[in-house]
Amino acid sequence: MISFSNKIISYLLLFLLCAPNLAQTVELKLVCVSRADKPKSQDFNDLIISLSSNSNKIEIGSLKFEADEMMVTDSNIKWFASNIENLYSDSSGHASGILGRFSGNLALKFKKMESDNDNQIWLNCSQLKMKDRKF
């Protein structure tokens, strides 16, 4: 039979082993706008982005997918997703992104299957606060 103090020690050890993973868990809802210093090829003003490092789920506007890889560091959040169905009207594709956690800069890259060209979007993002809406 395990004594009470041994139980507490085992729970404490379990918590300490899991704590680093809990510290790197990220749930973000961002509002992003086009960067002024990059070429404007987008046809949107505000873009809402949701990231969840627990489930690797990403929502970019109405585009929803699950990342194959998501890496959360102290300064960046990076992800890569391959074979996203219907990313383009006639094809699937790949998507990747890197978000600076201090700058709020987000670089998105989309690539059509069987194509050498990719599309890039550069955005400035901040935490989404509904009270900040203009109307």
Side-chain angles (χ1 to χ4, degrees):
M1 182 163 191
I2 299 176
S3 72
F4 182 71
S5 62
N6 286 346
K7 259 188 186 177
I8 291 175
I9 290 171
S10 7
Y11 285 126
L12 182 61
L13 286 173
L14 181 63
F15 175 75
L16 291 175
L17 289 173
C18 294
N21 292 334
L22 294 174
Q24 293 297 332
T25 300
V26 174
E27 296 281 334
L28 289 176
K29 229 180 199 351
L30 306 169
V31 62
C32 302
V33 296
S34 299
R35 286 185 44 189
D37 61 335
K38 297 293 181 182
K40 288 197 175 220
S41 61
Q42 307 90 351
D43 58 348
F44 58 85
N45 290 324
D46 298 329
L47 187 63
I48 296 177
I49 297 177
S50 297
L51 303 172
S52 172
S53 65
N54 281 341
S55 61
N56 285 358
K57 292 197 189 268
I58 298 171
E59 293 180 26
I60 302 172
S62 61
L63 175 65
K64 298 176 184 181
F65 58 92
E66 191 170 316
D68 299 330
E69 300 173 27
M70 184 177 283
M71 188 171 71
V72 178
T73 66
D74 290 339
S75 60
N76 294 307
I77 301 171
K78 300 178 188 179
W79 68 85
F80 177 78
S82 61
N83 201 18
I84 302 171
E85 292 184 26
N86 302 318
L87 181 60
Y88 292 90
S89 60
D90 60 344
S91 175
S92 298
H94 309 291
S96 63
I98 183 166
L99 172 66
R101 294 181 79 177
F102 293 99
S103 67
N105 291 334
L106 173 62
L108 296 173
K109 187 183 291 187
F110 301 97
K111 186 172 182 182
K112 192 175 188 177
M113 288 286 214
E114 301 167 5
S115 172
D116 292 333
N117 298 335
D118 56 22
N119 298 308
Q120 296 182 3
I121 301 173
W122 295 275
L123 304 164
N124 284 334
C125 301
S126 60
Q127 289 277 351
L128 176 66
K129 297 175 187 164
M130 293 303 277
K131 67 179 182 177
D132 291 340
R133 287 192 306 191
K134 301 292 182 197
F135 53 90

